[in-house]
Amino acid sequence: MYLGESLKKYGISLDEINLKAGIFGAEMWTEEMRHKIEETLGIKALNIYGLTEVMGPGVAQECLEQDGIHISDDHFYPEIINPETGEVLGDDEKGELVLTTLTRDGTPVIRFRTKDLTSLMSGNCKCGRTTKRMTRITGRSDDMIKIKGVMVFPSQIEKALLSVDGVSPNYQIVVTRPDILDEIEVKVEATPDLFFDEMKKMEEMENKIMGEIRSEIGIKVDVTICEPESLPRSEGKAVRVIDERNFE
Amino acid sequence: MKEILNKGDNMKQISVFLENKEGKLRSILKILGDANINLLALSIADTSKYGILRLIVSDNNLAIEKLNEANFTVREDEVAILEIPDKPNGLNSILEILEEGNINLEYIYAFSTNKLDEATTVMKFEDLDNAISLLEEKGAKILKEEDLKDI
């Protein structure tokens, strides 16, 4: 999207650059996003899947039919399991992707739990390839969130928050994607230590919290101080992360 | 007014964290009203996300207790309450004193009183004691708690 905007900015027309297709990965994206990219750049936008522990990008790649991501199943054996019970699920059932390398020497991985939620598709692709296909990744089975392509665990944000005196252990992380870029808001409750009669000091406190989080996770977040008791308590499993991005 | 204002030499203001939600201000005022606490002055500093409600009330301890019970975040800070001649340049003359004394005014808001010749304002300074002694030295009238009974 940024490329598209830059082309427009410098007055370069799409015909001049002769782009035909693009391969996109590293974070979750949606069909809507695909349409936007294709429209902006005049290309076919294709999905790639991979993970560092297995080989990086290239475990699976979409073809021009854009109907599922072809897994290179001559090299990687895919399974879908129920993340709670470990039970192996059938085709078209959604669960956690588990991969086993078949051809890797030295450091094979056996039934590696990717924590990525997807399903394996039944039937064959119109393109003629007969490999197993997986659907677009729609979420995670752990609490990791990927923001602007960066892996973030709520525990990292919690660690940063609790390093600031007076921050209560009740916090909430809200992830949104208003347009094409992720935004992350961290809500903390206004304890007496976080509350001042002067706006200047309130802002200093928000900036301090923001700085702590940034040095922990490497990206800038928006910090909002909100009313005490307004965030869910940690009875059982508190809902720490509200991900309003829709990947379904 | 029959309630006795807070003890101590300097006047104290209470501040309440105010979330930008419908009915929040009213619910605070209702808590104070139900406890028979009088509001002498009020100001709100606001951002797009929240506000800071600053109040001078007739009974700080009771107000803090009642607001804490209702889960509001409250704090108490020392401020100066000044009586300023209600005429052109009245406030200006006070600000001039502060400027010459290199004293920073953090914020200011007004009282509504039934006095005709004087305007009453609340001022917050980083260095309150210094500000008060300078203002008194230059003849400005700083109110103490007993003065507020007549307002």
Side-chain angles (χ1 to χ4, degrees):
Chain A
M1 295 305 291
Y2 178 73
L3 274 178
E5 281 161 20
S6 301
L7 287 176
K8 214 181 259 176
K9 191 170 143 197
Y10 293 106
I12 301 168
S13 87
L14 292 176
D15 305 332
E16 284 174 73
I17 54 169
N18 208 21
L19 263 188
K20 292 184 180 67
I23 292 168
F24 300 86
E27 63 178 284
M28 287 188 277
W29 57 314
T30 58
E31 270 312 302
E32 290 72 33
M33 189 104 161
R34 186 205 302 267
H35 296 317
K36 264 194 194 170
I37 294 173
E38 293 188 330
E39 228 168 78
T40 315
L41 291 174
I43 58 171
K44 280 242 177 199
L46 306 173
N47 209 342
I48 191 168
Y49 174 78
L51 58 162
T52 315
E53 294 87 344
V54 175
M55 68 164 280
V59 173
Q61 168 66 53
E62 210 172 35
C63 67
L64 289 170
E65 296 293 330
Q66 297 178 325
D67 183 23
I69 313 165
H70 288 274
I71 301 171
S72 308
D73 56 10
D74 43 351
H75 296 289
F76 312 104
Y77 179 71
E79 293 166 276
I80 296 291
I81 62 163
N82 176 331
E84 309 279 322
T85 61
E87 178 203 355
V88 177
L89 304 176
D91 281 355
D92 301 314
E93 284 187 279
K94 193 171 158 180
E96 180 182 331
L97 177 68
V98 172
L99 291 171
T100 299
T101 58
L102 300 176
T103 53
R104 198 154 108 178
D105 293 332
T107 53
V109 290
I110 298 158
R111 301 202 77 214
F112 181 81
R113 292 187 60 168
T114 64
K115 309 274 181 192
D116 288 321
L117 298 181
T118 179
S119 59
L120 296 177
M121 296 164 70
S122 53
N124 283 332
C125 183
K126 282 198 246 39
C127 75
R129 293 177 186 87
T130 53
T131 71
K132 205 74 192 156
R133 288 167 298 152
M134 59 188 253
T135 56
R136 180 184 285 286
I137 305 289
T138 53
R140 294 276 300 178
S141 61
D142 61 6
D143 58 359
M144 187 204 77
I145 33 178
K146 230 171 184 183
I147 301 157
K148 295 178 182 166
V150 178
M151 285 193 340
V152 175
F153 285 92
S155 55
Q156 291 177 285
I157 292 180
E158 180 165 329
K159 187 180 154 208
L161 284 176
L162 296 179
S163 71
V164 179
D165 280 343
V167 174
S168 95
N170 293 302
Y171 62 92
Q172 199 167 51
I173 302 163
V174 183
V175 190
T176 53
R177 189 176 280 174
D179 189 24
I180 49 164
L181 286 177
D182 295 333
E183 280 181 14
I184 169 166
E185 180 187 21
V186 176
K187 293 182 172 178
V188 290
E189 290 183 353
T191 62
D193 287 337
L194 297 190
F195 176 54
F196 302 94
D197 60 320
E198 291 172 36
M199 218 39 114
K200 186 175 74 185
K201 289 186 183 158
M202 290 294 286
E203 279 165 10
E204 278 169 13
M205 180 51 83
E206 286 178 333
N207 286 336
K208 186 180 171 192
I209 297 172
M210 223 180 275
E212 290 290 336
I213 297 176
R214 190 179 195 159
S215 69
E216 185 65 37
I217 65 173
I219 49 179
K220 194 173 168 285
V221 304
D222 199 15
V223 170
T224 303
I225 295 178
C226 58
E227 205 157 78
E229 315 283 323
S230 63
L231 299 179
R233 305 286 100 180
S234 45
E235 288 159 14
K237 206 178 168 194
V239 188
R240 293 278 182 234
V241 183
I242 308 280
D243 199 334
E244 291 176 353
R245 299 173 297 182
N246 187 9
F247 295 117
E248 296 288 335
Chain B
M1 228 168 59
K2 51 182 190 304
E3 291 95 341
I4 299 167
L5 283 142
N6 58 289
K7 310 270 186 302
D9 286 345
N10 291 326
M11 295 300 306
K12 283 180 183 150
Q13 143 198 284
I14 62 170
S15 317
V16 191
F17 182 84
L18 192 63
E19 210 166 348
N20 269 6
K21 273 187 191 154
E22 254 174 73
K24 281 288 164 192
L25 178 61
R26 208 183 85 87
S27 68
I28 292 172
L29 297 184
K30 187 170 182 329
I31 290 165
L32 298 177
D34 289 348
N36 214 13
I37 296 165
N38 228 334
L39 275 186
L40 301 174
L42 173 155
S43 103
I44 296 177
D46 64 308
T47 67
S48 56
K49 293 179 191 163
Y50 56 81
I52 303 168
L53 173 66
R54 303 170 186 136
L55 301 167
I56 304 288
V57 297
S58 56
D59 186 339
N60 275 13
N61 291 341
L62 184 62
I64 292 170
E65 186 194 317
K66 292 290 175 193
L67 290 169
N68 276 338
E69 270 172 24
N71 275 328
F72 284 101
T73 303
V74 189
R75 60 179 284 138
E76 201 176 27
D77 295 279
E78 292 190 334
V79 290
I81 299 180
L82 271 88
E83 208 148 76
I84 297 169
D86 195 7
K87 59 182 188 194
N89 267 331
L91 178 60
N92 202 9
S93 62
I94 299 287
L95 296 182
E96 207 178 325
I97 297 170
L98 295 172
E99 199 179 308
E100 279 165 8
N102 260 331
I103 286 173
N104 230 339
L105 176 63
E106 299 293 341
Y107 54 79
I108 175 173
Y109 57 99
F111 258 65
S112 72
T113 66
N114 48 19
K115 295 189 176 182
L116 295 174
D117 309 331
E118 274 123 9
T120 310
T121 60
V122 181
M123 294 189 186
K124 171 72 189 272
F125 301 101
E126 211 163 66
D127 186 350
L128 181 71
D129 293 332
N130 209 1
I132 287 182
S133 61
L134 178 73
L135 286 166
E136 280 182 330
E137 189 189 305
K138 299 279 182 185
K141 193 173 173 202
I142 312 279
L143 299 190
K144 299 285 177 214
E145 54 184 79
E146 55 272 16
D147 301 318
L148 290 187
K149 290 174 195 161
D150 314 323
I151 281 177

